[in-house]
Amino acid sequence: MTWSWLAVVPITLAPLAAINLLSRREPAGRLVALAIPILFGLWLLWIWEVVVVGFDVPRILLPAPSQIGHQLVAQAGMLWADFQQTFLKSVLAGFAMGCGLGFLVALLTDRVAFLQRGLLPLGNMAGAVPVVGIAPIMVMWFGFGWESKAAVIVVMTFFPMLINTIAGLAAADRMQRDLMYSYGAGYWQTFFKLRLPAALTFVFNALKINSTLALIGAIVAEMFGSPISGMGFRISTEVYKMNVDIVWATIAVAAVAGSMFYGLLALLERALTFWHPSYRAEARNR
Amino acid sequence: MTTKSLVAGRALPLATVLLFVGVLWYLGAIFLNAPRVREQLDRGPQAWTTADLIAGTWSMERPVLPTPDQVLAEFWKTTAGTKIASKRNLLYHAWITASATGLGFILGGLLGIGLAVGIVHVRTLDRSLMPWIIASQTIPILAIGPMIIIVLGNIGVTGVIPKAIISGYLSFFPVTIGMVKGLRSPDPLQLDLMRTYNASASQVFRKLRWPSSMPFLFASLKVSVAISLIGAIVGELPSGATAGLGARLLSGSYYGQTIQIWSALLMAALLGMAMVYGVGGIERIALRRMGTRP
């Protein structure tokens, strides 16, 4: 019985050796660069499973990946409903409104310099403030539905968007602006042909930061009160019922949703700012 | 100071924006609190005027939106007006949260630096771990917070440690990312020079990589201390946490004590700013010691 355990050792060590070998390959192709982290991730899951099963870790403390996977399949309907409530309603609505508002106010401050000098210090300060704390107030004002979560997200995502857009609009340098001026371009022509494209990298930076913030805001706000679905609601209720594997399944869904959201934004960024040096350098190295 | 320099500076625009927010706030308080005050006044014996209504909306006990002066009064009462060790003192709750934040921040900072050093020096780690660290940025890690608290509480670990674990877990990512960038920031010429000196890896690290990573380190520490605070506050939300700013927020929302929520929020904001400025102060001292000029 004890001896059969030894079979685990080579299965554990083999991927490590493979990862090590692959890492040494020079130059690393795209496939190899992708294979290494995937192999490493699978190896982590394997170790997790071995440790949980081998040392008989209580299920409440840390469920095995296989148990979590089982819940993902068994509770798919419920998890989908939570995803709809949290992501498709609260996150998307709040994200669109918060980012849109931040962008519009940044455009406004671009025309009114006085406003910009007043808002920028406030925006920088907002970075140090735990804005999630407004969640109970918003739940009180807008009720338990998705509206209160969207409101929290609007406040959380507004300032990162504002600051980044303002920085982005200042990104086009003097020479380029002078060139536009010598072409006789007006404010809006310069804006659409030079400054907005130049600002896009900054705008996407804010969008990416905000995608994570939005999901966090929705989940935390749901802990202060929500209808009977939603990821934050699921996490906080199932943890009290000691169904830790369902909690982990919800977290897995949140992780996949967050990464996909981020990934889509990154793809969109690549499509819109293909001219940026960071992508050109990548293309040269390939 | 001339008028022109006042307009061009930051003070006047900032004051204008704050004034605008303040006026909007008082108007909002009238608008949001009016329905309940009107109900109350209608029940009273005398006829009432608009002035009575406005005065009523600005002095409710449990308003929908408390006015800034109500929040400040509550803030003053619960900080300077009560004994410092008492559970009613906001500073006591701030201290509970700040200690968890600080401990988590130190844990997270050390872990972040350690991981970055490993990633920069060990190629296997760079190729296998780095993509996961970047991917993990996209995951709402905060969601795990309450679970960690309750699970650790079940095996008997309570108090400051579980909250610090959440804070640390949240705060190590920015440090790792920033430090990997920072430790790689010396340019090839400088690294070549070190090689011509026949410097060992640890000498290169001590004399070149570490010093040149300092601006990156402090930039990411400022981000991560703010995240640590969020982690500690969220860590105080679940289970019967009775102390800390997060617990104040939660109990305030249970009992409809809006003024208490707002003053806890004000305290959290001040705490966050103090911590970021604190890190900034350490940065200035460290950079001056290292001989850089601002």
Side-chain angles (χ1 to χ4, degrees):
Chain A
M1 179 62 203
T2 36
W3 286 104
S4 63
W5 262 101
L6 284 180
V8 169
V9 176
I11 307 177
T12 309
L13 292 180
L16 272 191
I19 291 169
N20 221 338
L21 264 177
L22 280 176
S23 305
R24 270 160 222 260
R25 264 180 69 142
E26 197 66 53
R30 248 179 128 181
L31 213 67
V32 174
L34 203 67
I36 295 170
I38 291 177
L39 211 57
F40 185 72
L42 289 176
W43 179 76
L44 274 185
L45 282 181
W46 166 252
I47 287 288
W48 180 352
E49 181 86 37
V50 165
V51 167
V52 169
V53 175
F55 293 93
D56 222 4
V57 177
R59 197 181 61 102
I60 288 178
L61 204 57
L62 188 69
S66 56
Q67 287 171 316
I68 298 168
H70 174 73
Q71 290 293 355
L72 271 176
V73 178
Q75 308 284 352
M78 186 181 78
L79 291 173
W80 172 246
D82 292 342
F83 174 77
Q84 269 183 319
Q85 170 71 24
T86 302
F87 196 87
L88 298 183
K89 288 185 188 164
S90 322
V91 170
L92 287 186
F95 181 79
M97 283 191 281
C99 292
L101 198 65
F103 187 74
L104 288 180
V105 172
L107 294 192
L108 186 69
T109 64
D110 188 55
R111 303 248 39 183
V112 189
F114 186 77
L115 195 60
Q116 187 175 104
R117 280 197 301 273
L119 274 176
L120 258 186
L122 271 188
N124 287 327
M125 245 184 260
V129 172
V131 189
V132 216
I134 59 155
I137 294 165
M138 291 301 162
V139 171
M140 229 175 255
W141 285 3
F142 296 101
F144 283 178
W146 63 269
E147 296 87 350
S148 55
K149 283 84 204 173
V152 174
I153 297 170
V154 167
V155 180
M156 280 178 85
T157 54
F158 174 76
F159 282 112
M161 193 54 166
L162 177 74
I163 292 181
N164 274 287
T165 309
I166 289 178
L169 287 175
D173 66 38
R174 194 80 238 168
M175 293 273 281
Q176 296 167 327
R177 269 185 242 193
D178 281 350
L179 182 66
M180 292 305 279
Y181 183 72
S182 69
Y183 287 161
Y187 175 86
W188 290 111
Q189 275 179 318
T190 314
F191 182 81
F192 279 115
K193 307 223 153 134
L194 170 65
R195 298 179 60 214
L196 190 60
L200 270 185
T201 32
F202 289 80
V203 171
F204 270 104
N205 190 24
L207 285 176
K208 287 198 263 184
I209 295 171
N210 281 345
S211 70
T212 323
L213 283 181
L215 211 46
I216 288 177
I219 289 176
V220 172
E222 278 175 356
M223 292 171 183
F224 282 97
S226 73
I228 50 154
S229 62
M231 293 181 195
F233 169 80
R234 192 65 57 208
I235 290 171
S236 53
T237 51
E238 295 297 331
V239 100
Y240 284 116
K241 292 194 234 155
M242 292 303 152
N243 292 327
V244 179
D245 40 7
I246 298 183
V247 176
W248 276 96
T250 308
I251 289 168
V253 173
V256 171
S259 316
M260 297 258 284
F261 195 13
Y262 191 95
L264 280 179
L265 288 171
L267 279 181
L268 194 65
E269 177 183 20
R270 189 174 281 250
L272 288 178
T273 61
F274 55 90
W275 44 266
H276 194 264
S278 60
Y279 293 123
R280 288 210 311 256
E282 205 174 281
R284 205 166 42 235
N285 289 339
R286 206 175 287 147
Chain B
M1 218 189 260
T2 60
T3 336
K4 200 174 176 188
S5 67
L6 257 180
V7 173
R10 273 201 333 203
L12 189 64
L14 186 57
T16 315
V17 170
L18 287 178
L19 189 72
F20 181 71
V21 170
V23 170
L24 214 62
W25 193 330
Y26 277 103
L27 289 178
I30 297 178
F31 179 72
L32 283 166
N33 300 335
R36 274 161 70 189
V37 174
R38 198 173 288 139
E39 219 171 81
Q40 229 167 22
L41 287 172
D42 279 340
R43 248 182 270 138
Q46 306 105 325
W48 48 272
T49 58
T50 318
D52 291 335
L53 180 70
I54 291 176
T57 57
W58 285 351
S59 57
M60 281 176 83
E61 200 163 308
R62 290 180 186 184
V64 181
L65 176 62
T67 58
D69 62 88
Q70 280 180 306
V71 175
L72 284 177
E74 164 84 5
F75 188 79
W76 180 251
K77 200 182 86 194
T78 50
T79 50
T82 41
K83 264 187 285 181
I84 199 106
S86 144
K87 280 209 160 182
R88 304 184 128 206
N89 194 314
L90 203 51
L91 285 174
Y92 164 80
H93 293 283
W95 163 247
I96 299 281
T97 305
S99 57
T101 308
L103 188 60
F105 173 63
I106 291 169
L107 286 178
L110 290 179
L111 180 64
I113 293 172
L115 275 177
V117 171
I119 284 172
V120 168
H121 286 94
V122 183
R123 182 171 208 148
T124 312
L125 281 183
D126 178 29
R127 294 268 168 90
S128 58
L129 198 57
M130 197 59 186
W132 283 104
I133 287 183
I134 293 173
S136 66
Q137 291 272 57
T138 67
I139 297 170
I141 314 154
L142 212 57
I144 315 181
M147 191 181 60
I148 294 180
I149 298 284
I150 289 170
V151 163
L152 286 180
N154 261 326
I155 58 168
V157 185
T158 50
V160 76
I161 304 287
K163 286 189 274 174
I165 288 177
I166 297 175
S167 285
Y169 189 51
L170 280 174
S171 63
F172 90 86
F173 292 116
V175 178
T176 304
I177 303 282
M179 276 305 272
V180 166
K181 215 179 243 173
L183 290 173
R184 288 199 176 132
S185 64
D187 71 54
L189 270 178
Q190 295 170 317
L191 285 169
D192 282 347
L193 182 66
M194 291 306 271
R195 194 171 300 152
T196 63
Y197 290 160
N198 195 22
S200 66
S202 78
Q203 281 172 324
V204 174
F205 179 78
R206 272 205 326 268
K207 308 209 164 179
L208 177 59
R209 286 189 191 274
W210 180 254
S212 54
S213 71
M214 281 303 113
F216 293 86
L217 175 64
F218 282 107
S220 35
L221 283 183
K222 280 181 204 159
V223 175
S224 87
V225 77
I227 303 181
S228 291
L229 180 58
I230 295 178
I233 289 178
V234 171
E236 285 160 355
L237 292 182
S239 70
T242 48
L245 294 175
R248 281 293 268 202
L249 286 178
L250 198 66
S251 73
S253 91
Y254 275 158
Y255 300 115
Q257 297 284 2
T258 36
I259 304 183
Q260 181 188 324
I261 299 181
W262 281 96
S263 59
L265 267 182
L266 178 62
M267 188 48 122
L270 291 177
L271 189 60
M273 281 186 250
M275 286 181 150
V276 172
Y277 280 116
V279 173
I282 297 174
E283 176 181 22
R284 266 195 301 282
I285 295 170
L287 290 185
R288 199 176 303 143
R289 282 270 176 91
M290 291 170 65
T292 29
R293 275 167 221 283

